């Protein structure tokens, strides 16, 4: 993995968030005019329970360097248990990704409530810093671009 | 006439079954076979050479449609049948024929409850060889694991023998055949193969009975069963659900406990 | 064209020299309990002790997936990028089996017979096949039943027959491409003289007559044999994907918003989706119908067109099948079927 | 080919000062599928909305992305505008350029670039949106109230008074619940029965209320607005249409030694009995367990004496079906068994009693007709010790929570004792006094200051009998843990309030959740206190947690208001953002394989089984079906479904997939 020119490297990060807590929390960050890094693009889901693990992989395949997954704190889920289901899914998913050698440090899980505008800003900044440190996820991008590069001249 | 043939004939004779799914000997190995009448049953064998998971046929309408089925079940097959029953996939009235513990005699298990009892009494034992492979994988650094799997996935030809051989991959339409959206690229490439395996293994979470059919089927010899085994081990550690054990309600991923671990969520 | 007799040392040197020269060599290497072709890299050892590779070398001329073209839309304008045919490098397929080399010619028939597939042609023109005769075989081999031989030269540029008495190898230089290679690497080799090639070949038994099979198939469309034989078939694509002759492919659109690629990739008639219509109708709704298609295609339809079976008897499908759908056993049964 | 319109709002300076809105609109115009793009100062203003509407009509747009403030702010506004222009409102998506972009980033190219990418993501999403129509669900305007205590009575009356039919089910022979057992009520000391019994009678006489006593819910199926309840009417062994309630049978029944439940075991009743004189309905039932006829086949005295021949020994339980649109669960609470306080000697010493038993002693209708006489010998106790927190706030032996009502009723008990036994001495051992409530603290102060109840802050370690006295050994922590020993004549334990027996089973029948103590869980502890997670099922009173009467009545009225609000609509209109299981042409019918794991993942029991049959009625396949009346649209099932046979309208797999991809696709 190349860590060269990290100063010029702007991580591309996709945030998968639930509508009721984290999306609203990020709204509050805005309303509070708390500034944070521009690297994150937010995708709104009704609930963390809705977030398919394949969408996370799709983000990496499409060139994301990092991912944020965030929803309601335990017991605060708008749908009572979507976040609990999601939490289990992520536990299992993380363990599988780790077995495969996929860099689980690049997926940041968090609970951010609708009241935690500042936490959202911190989460984004912290994740951007982590990913900047790790560098672009070239390993994965290279594999994603296999047909374009590697196999073309076979 | 051996005992198995006799028993199969009895079940076919008394109407307990109209088709016996079993194993026959061929080319120095065994393979699945199907018997619908007494004249067929002479070829049935049931011993340690029977490694195909023939429960795979229980979800094929072409095979079981219109039949009452008896399966000569090895332990992995029996574990699969119990799991299929949990998932509403075991055809009504399916009977299992198993070797008794001593290995000498045969027993008929007419109900899922009977099958569950045998399965519950025989916890899964993962062989030393698999354990060793997993340990070796665990001892690698993340980068080494990535390179290892990338190399393996590059050899995948996307024939989906792993899917076809797995008795718990019974979806009418597999996710890889869904092109709205195209979840997984349909052509062979390391990424598509990896995404497919991730999907497959996630879909097996808490369901896999660790029979090894996927690995056995792979014409390229890719050790994909290590993925399901590793996940099964993690699930056992995390949720106390052993592979092939009977959950009374739902699935590992369709249920939760409020106290599930969340130290990775910050 | 000439026949050479080289020593074991010369044979090894030949490969070493080509590797040293940086040639792209696609050769059998043992990996993960199987032996399969791969591009030789630093440290790879060419496998010795095996009967057959897991896959054939087909993907050198017909990759599992390849980009035919890519495009990007700008409003109403569409910019198409064609990868062209001038991007291929020379490849040597080392140690293909005679059955594989023969299959390569059949594959070429499909792609060049009534339409010249430029990409295929380009790939093939860059490919040189150095086949090795079979000294051993196994129960799955049946090349002799479909008109082949463990020492057949068809399709190869060079055929090497290693001599079972340890006395080196017979090198048959068969094409100008082969000649070029031999001229460069086997310049000092002795002419072969009085070698009984046949004595060094595996004894592959004839199991059935392809003609008889073809004759039986003519009226077998509605035969119950398909149902009987296919009952245990799981419907995977292993047989088709390891087959050196199968050429079925799918065209896929890899579309992302305004940009996309058109991709050709392998497909298999064993998959239930292979003939699935958008309407939901499937003209081959059962595995029996799909199995019938596989057998009829190889042993009736292709012979009709090419005059020979679409199968070279490599036996890979039988080895790869998870449930022992042994093709020679089935063909034997069809030949003997009333 | 889609024709998307993109409308970028400056929001005055809010977006416009940071994001180059014109540039965003220009970039959007060249995006795939975009037919029209523009920017405007205030898109939510009238002229802004008109701009959108005109563009929809003029360019025949089939999708709209508005780049503006958070969708949580103006999504309804813009969707309504689209609808007014003839575009299905669900074909409009909002790109959050204010809260998620301009307000959190400095002015600059990066910020504008981010705005463009956000818009691009939503353009790709909206291209895959489907027109949706709200879901209408019919409502059966009849409510089922389970439990005829004060909560159930209140809820039933409130709903009935709104003009809706109510079915009230009570498992005991009479309604009234725990409140009917109480003597006086705090903090006013008015007589419990005096305020309760008129309500009971009102229930019995209300034309909109059907009362089933001695009945239990057998099962509940269906969903909001459309439940079907199976109610088991337990055999009362009498013909109620003939019985006049004259009471002759109860006086003649030879089986007279059965402990009276109503009197908390301090009195006796007969086998054919009316629980208490003011019972509603005031007709007896035969307790089969104790009746000699049922036990031995002999006796039959009641049958002989009954002037109207209303006794029916052969009667069996009956199950009736009722269609209801809403359910209110008011099954109340219970008091903790005292068996795990062996050191207090309950059960061993007749004069160690529970608070509920004291209520009966103090009640004018009780076994002592309201005189405080101890159970062992009927003597008036001269010294009484009350022990608060028996089991409550005791994670080791009892329950960790506070039972809430004990501090108040203990003060009341001590006060009643002081009022009734002049010269008596009373002690209250307590941990803390929790007297939050209108006039509650004043009430406790009155007990201490005016009625001279001795409050001792400390725990009682042990009670034992010595020479006819109960020796209460404890400590006074306010006096530095000084040991205290009191020779009492009677001890009253304020045992903890716990969930009612069978509440777990009932919750499972109703598919509602419950907490670790088996109290029913509300949908939200603060904002949805009387709703459950199952739409159409409400809870009130002490089945949620121990509650006093005012709170119980308040929640009951709250639940009734929720039911009335539900019933006030012609039918139920729901957002169509629900999950849907695919259906396709035969022979597949649906790609669902019917593993039904989604059922266990659904928090709302919204997934049903549907049998797909051929023309002859033979079941071909059983597949999942989402009940749009129950689904709340969380999408947990969608992410779980292995074959991707379930999708979520408004957040479909195709939409989300496209959005993620587009957000990462470089637009330049």
């Amino acid at each position: 993995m190349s860590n060269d020119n990290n100063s010029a490297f702007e991580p591309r990060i996709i945030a998968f968030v639930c509508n009721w807590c984290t999306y609203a929390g990020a709204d509050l960050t805005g309303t509070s005019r708390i500034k944070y890094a521009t690297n994150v693009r937010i995708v709104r889901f009704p609930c963390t329970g809705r977030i398919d693990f394949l969408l996370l992989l799709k983000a990496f395949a499409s060139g994301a360097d990092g991912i944020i997954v965030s929803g309601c704190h335990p017991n605060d889920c708008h749908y009572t248990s979507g976040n609990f289901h999601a939490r289990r899914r992520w536990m299992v998913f993380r363990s599988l990704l780790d077995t495969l050698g996929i860099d689980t440090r690049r997926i940041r899980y968090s609970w951010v409530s609708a009241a935690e505008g500042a936490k959202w800003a911190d989460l984004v900044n912290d994740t951007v810093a982590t990913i900047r440190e790790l560098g672009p996820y070239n390993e994965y991008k290279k594999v994603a671009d296999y047909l374009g590069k590697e196999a073309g001249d076979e | 006439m051996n005992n198995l043939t006799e028993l199969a004939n009895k079940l076919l004779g008394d109407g307990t079954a109209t088709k016996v799914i079993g194993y026959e000997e061929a080319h120095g190995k065994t393979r699945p076979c199907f018997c619908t009448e007494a004249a067929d049953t002479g070829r049935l064998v049931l011993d340690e050479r029977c490694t195909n998971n023939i429960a795979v046929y229980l979800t094929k309408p072409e095979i079981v449609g219109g039949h009452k089925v008896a399966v000569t079940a090895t332990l992995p097959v029996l574990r699969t049948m119990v799991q299929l029953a949990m998932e509403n996939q075991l055809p009504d009235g399916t009977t299992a024929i198993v070797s008794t513990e001593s290995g000498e005699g045969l027993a008929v298990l007419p109900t899922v409850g009977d099958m569950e009892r045998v399965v519950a009494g025989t916890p899964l034992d993962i062989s030393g060889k698999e354990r060793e492979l997993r340990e070796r994988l665990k001892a690698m650094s993340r980068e080494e694991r990535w390179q290892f799997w990338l190399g393996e996935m590059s050899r995948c030809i996307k024939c989906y023998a792993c899917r076809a051989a797995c008795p718990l991959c019974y979806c009418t339409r597999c996710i890889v055949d869904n092109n709205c959206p195209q979840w997984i690229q349909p052509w062979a490439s390391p990424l598509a193969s990896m995404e497919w395996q991730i999907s497959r293994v996630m879909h097996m979470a808490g369901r896999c009975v660790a029979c090894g059919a996927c690995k056995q089927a792979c014409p390229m010899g890719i050790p994909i069963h290590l993925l399901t085994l590793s996940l099964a081990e993690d699930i056992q550690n995390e949720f106390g659900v052993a592979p092939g054990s009977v959950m009374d309600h739902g699935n590992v991923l369709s249920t939760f406990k409020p106290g599930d671990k969340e130290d990775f969520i910050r | 064209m000439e026949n050479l007799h080289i020593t074991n040392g010369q044979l090894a040197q030949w490969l070493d020299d080509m590797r040293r020269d940086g040639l792209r060599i696609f050769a059998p290497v043992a990996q993960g309990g199987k032996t399969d072709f791969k591009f030789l890299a630093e440290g790879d050892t060419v496998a010795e002790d095996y009967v057959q590779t897991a896959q054939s070398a087909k993907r050198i001329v017909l990759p599992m997936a390849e980009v035919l073209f890519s495009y990007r839309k700008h409003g109403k304008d569409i910019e198409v990028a064609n990868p062209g045919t001038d991007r291929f490098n020379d490849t040597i397929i080392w140690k293909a089996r005679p059955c594989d080399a023969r299959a390569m010619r059949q594959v070429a028939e499909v792609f060049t017979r009534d339409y010249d597939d430029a990409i295929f042609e380009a790939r093939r023109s860059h490919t040189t096949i150095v086949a090795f005769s079979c000294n051993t075989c196994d129960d799955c081999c049946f090349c002799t039943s479909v008109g082949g031989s463990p020492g057949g030269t068809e399709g190869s540029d060079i055929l090497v027959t290693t001599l079972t008495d340890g006395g080196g190898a017979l090198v048959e230089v068969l094409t100008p491409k082969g000649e070029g290679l031999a001229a460069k690497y086997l310049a000092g080799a002795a002419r072969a003289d009085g070698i009984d090639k046949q004595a060094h070949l595996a004894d592959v038994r004839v199991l059935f007559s392809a003609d008889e099979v073809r004759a039986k198939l003519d009226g077998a469309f509605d035969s119950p044999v398909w149902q009987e034989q296919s009952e245990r078939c799981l419907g995977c694509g292993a047989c088709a994907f390891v087959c050196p002759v199968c050429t079925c492919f799918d065209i896929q659109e890899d579309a992302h918003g305004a940009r996309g690629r058109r991709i050709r990739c392998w497909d298999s008639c064993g998959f239930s989706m292979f003939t699935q219509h958008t309407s939901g109708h499937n003209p081959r709704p059962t595995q029996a119908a799909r199995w019938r298609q596989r057998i009829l295609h190889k042993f009736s339809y292709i012979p009709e067109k090419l005059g020979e079976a679409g199968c070279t008897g490599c036996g890979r499908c039988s080895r790869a099948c998870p449930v022992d759908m042994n093709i020679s056993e089935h063909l034997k049964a069809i030949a003997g079927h009333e | 080919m889609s024709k998307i319109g993109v409308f970028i709002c400056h929001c005055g300076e809010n977006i416009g000062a940071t994001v180059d809105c014109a540039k965003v609109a220009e970039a959007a115009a060249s995006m795939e599928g975009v037919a029209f793009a523009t920017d405007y100062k205030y898109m939510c203003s009238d002229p802004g909305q008109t701009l959108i509407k005109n563009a929809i009509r003029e360019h025949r747009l089939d999708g709209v992305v508005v780049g503006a403030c958070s969708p949580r702010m103006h999504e309804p506004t813009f969707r309504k505008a689209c609808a007014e222009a003839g575009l299905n409102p669900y074909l409009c998506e909002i790109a959050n350029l204010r809260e998620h972009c301009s307000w959190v980033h400095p002015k600059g190219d990066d910020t504008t670039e981010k705005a463009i990418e956000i818009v691009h993501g939503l353009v790709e999403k909206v291209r895959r949106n489907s027109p949706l129509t709200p879901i209408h669900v019919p409502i059966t305007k009849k409510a089922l109230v389970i439990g005829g205590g004060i909560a159930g009575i209140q809820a039933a009356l409130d709903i009935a008074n709104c003009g809706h039919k109510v079915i009230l089910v009570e498992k005991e022979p009479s309604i009234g619940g725990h409140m009917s057992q109480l003597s006086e009520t705090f903090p006013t000391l008015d007589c419990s029965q005096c305020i309760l019994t008129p309500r009971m009678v009102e229930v019995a006489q209300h034309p909109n209320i059907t009362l089933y006593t001695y009945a239990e819910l057998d099962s509940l199926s269906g969903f909001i607005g459309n439940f079907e309840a199976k109610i088991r009417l337990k055999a009362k062994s009498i013909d109620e249409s003939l019985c006049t309630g004259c009471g002759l049978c109860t006086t003649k029944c030879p089986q007279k030694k059965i402990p009276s439940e109503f009197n908390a075991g301090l009195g006796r009743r007969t086998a054919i009995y009316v629980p208490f004189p003011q019972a509603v309905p005031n007709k007896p039932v035969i307790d089969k367990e104790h009746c000699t006829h049922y036990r031995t086949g002999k006796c039959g005295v009641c049958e002989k004496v009954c002037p109207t021949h209303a006794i029916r020994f052969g009667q069996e339980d009956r199950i009736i079906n009722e269609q209801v649109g809403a359910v209110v669960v008011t099954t109340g609470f219970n008091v903790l068994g005292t068996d795990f306080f062996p050191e207090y000697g309950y059960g061993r010493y007749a004069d160690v009693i529970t608070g509920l038993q004291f209520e009966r002693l103090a009640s004018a209708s009780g076994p002592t007709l309201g005189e405080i006489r101890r159970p062992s010998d009927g003597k008036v106790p001269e010294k009484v010790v009350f022990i608060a927190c028996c089991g409550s706030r005791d994670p080791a032996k009892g329950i960790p929570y506070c039972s809430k009502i004990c501090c108040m009723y203990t003060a009341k008990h001590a006060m009643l004792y002081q009022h009734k036994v002049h010269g008596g001495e009373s002690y209250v051992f307590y941990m803390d006094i929790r007297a939050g409530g209108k006039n509650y603290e004043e009430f406790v102060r009155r007990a201490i200051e005016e009625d001279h109840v001795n409050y001792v802050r400390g725990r009682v370690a042990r009670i034992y009998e010595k020479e006819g006295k109960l020796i209460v050994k404890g400590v006074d922590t306010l006096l530095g843990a000084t040991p205290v020993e009191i020779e009492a004549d009677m001890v009253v334990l304020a045992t903890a309030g716990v969930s009612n027996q069978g509440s777990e089973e009932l919750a499972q029948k109703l598919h509602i959740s419950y907490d670790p103590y088996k109290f029913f869980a509300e949908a939200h502890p603060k904002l949805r206190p009387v709703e459950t997670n199952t739409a159409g099922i409400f809870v009130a009173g002490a089945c949620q947690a121990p509650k006093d009467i005012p709170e119980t009545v308040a929640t009951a009225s709250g639940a009734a208001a929720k039911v009335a609000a539900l019933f006030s609509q012609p039918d139920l209109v729901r957002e169509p953002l629900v999950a849907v299981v695919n259906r396709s042409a035969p022979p597949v019918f649906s790609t669902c394989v019917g593993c039904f794991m989604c059922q266990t993942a659904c928090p709302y029991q919204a997934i049903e089984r549907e049998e797909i049959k051929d023309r002859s009625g033979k079941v071909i396949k059983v597949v999942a079906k989402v009940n749009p009346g129950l689904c709340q649209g969380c999408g947990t099932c969608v992410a779980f479904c292995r074959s991707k046979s379930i999708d979520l309208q408004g957040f479909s797999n195709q939409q989300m997939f496209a959005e993620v991809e587009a957000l990462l696709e470089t637009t330049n």
Side-chain angles (χ1 to χ4, degrees), chain D residues 240-307:
Chain D
E240 284 177 283
S241 63
L242 295 176
C243 175
T244 59
C246 72
L248 196 55
C249 52
T250 58
T251 55
K252 297 290 183 192
C253 177
Q255 191 59 266
K256 295 185 192 303
K257 297 276 184 191
I258 306 160
S260 157
E261 294 84 358
F262 179 71
N263 282 322
L266 292 182
R268 301 283 175 264
R269 65 164 171 85
T270 47
I272 184 163
Y273 73 108
V274 176
F276 54 101
Q278 302 90 334
V280 169
N282 204 326
K283 291 179 182 176
V285 300
I286 297 180
D287 167 8
K288 290 185 179 180
E289 202 190 321
H290 293 99
C291 169
T292 313
H293 179 84
Y294 279 105
R295 292 173 58 175
T296 65
K298 298 193 181 110
C299 192
V301 169
C302 49
E303 192 177 26
K304 289 184 199 103
V305 302
C306 178

Side-chain angles (χ1 to χ4, degrees), chain D residues 211 213 233 236-246 281-285 306-312 315 318:
Chain D
L211 175 62
T213 54
L233 307 180
K236 292 178 173 178
S237 306
I238 61 152
D239 183 335
E240 284 177 283
S241 63
L242 295 176
C243 175
T244 59
C246 72
N282 204 326
K283 291 179 182 176
V285 300
C306 178
T308 59
H309 307 291
I311 305 295
R312 294 285 180 276
Q315 204 175 63
R318 245 178 353 118

Side-chain angles (χ1 to χ4, degrees), chain C residues 194-263:
Chain C
I195 295 173
D196 177 11
K197 178 177 156 191
Q198 206 61 37
H200 300 276
L201 298 180
D203 175 23
V204 182
R205 285 167 303 145
V206 177
L207 300 174
F208 57 87
S209 142
D211 289 340
E212 209 171 322
V213 167
R214 193 183 160 189
K216 282 278 161 54
L217 289 177
D218 276 348
F221 195 81
D222 294 318
S223 164
V225 75
W226 310 119
Q227 171 61 36
E228 287 161 24
Q229 294 191 346
S230 69
E231 204 167 13
R232 67 174 178 274
C233 173
L234 296 171
C236 73
C239 47
F241 288 177
V242 297
C243 177
V245 182
C246 276
T247 49
C248 285
F249 58 81
D250 193 10
I251 298 289
Q252 287 282 346
E253 198 82 353
D254 182 26
H256 307 270
R259 68 193 166 83
R261 304 183 290 185
R262 189 155 297 171
I263 285 164

Side-chain angles (χ1 to χ4, degrees), chain C residues 45-251:
Chain C
T45 314
V46 174
E48 291 291 341
D49 195 20
Y50 69 98
V51 171
Q52 191 59 284
T53 50
Q55 282 197 95
S56 77
K58 179 177 73 183
R59 65 191 176 100
I60 292 301
V61 289
L62 182 61
M64 291 195 281
E66 64 185 326
V67 178
L68 300 180
F69 63 83
S70 57
Y71 59 84
R72 180 179 278 283
K73 293 192 245 178
H74 307 275
K76 287 202 164 94
D77 300 326
I78 301 170
E79 173 198 338
V80 176
N82 195 324
T85 53
D86 53 0
R87 63 202 150 112
F88 304 115
N89 298 314
D90 287 341
T91 297
I92 289 163
I93 300 176
W94 179 259
K95 230 174 167 176
R97 294 298 186 201
C99 49
D100 288 352
R102 183 171 173 229
M104 211 63 108
R105 200 189 52 66
Q106 292 193 351
V107 172
E109 284 283 345
V110 173
F111 283 94
T112 57
R113 193 175 147 81
D114 39 20
Y115 169 78
D116 280 341
D117 188 294
I119 295 178
F120 177 88
E121 284 276 36
R123 287 188 194 277
R124 199 163 77 107
S125 68
H126 282 279
T127 306
T128 307
I129 301 174
V130 181
F132 277 52
S133 299
C134 301
N135 304 120
T136 55
C137 64
D138 66 12
D139 286 347
C140 293
C141 292
F142 63 98
C143 56
T144 50
S145 307
V146 287
S149 150
T153 55
E154 191 182 343
S156 301
D157 295 300
I158 292 177
L159 180 69
V160 179
T161 307
T162 52
L163 306 180
T164 46
D165 53 14
L170 168 70
V171 178
E172 295 172 74
V173 182
L174 302 162
T175 64
K177 251 195 243 173
E179 240 170 15
L181 201 64
K184 184 157 182 206
Y185 292 100
L186 299 173
R191 287 178 149 268
D193 206 12
I195 295 173
D196 177 11
K197 178 177 156 191
Q198 206 61 37
H200 300 276
L201 298 180
D203 175 23
V204 182
R205 285 167 303 145
V206 177
L207 300 174
F208 57 87
S209 142
D211 289 340
E212 209 171 322
V213 167
R214 193 183 160 189
K216 282 278 161 54
L217 289 177
D218 276 348
F221 195 81
D222 294 318
S223 164
V225 75
W226 310 119
Q227 171 61 36
E228 287 161 24
Q229 294 191 346
S230 69
E231 204 167 13
R232 67 174 178 274
C233 173
L234 296 171
C236 73
C239 47
F241 288 177
V242 297
C243 177
V245 182
C246 276
T247 49
C248 285
F249 58 81
D250 193 10
I251 298 289

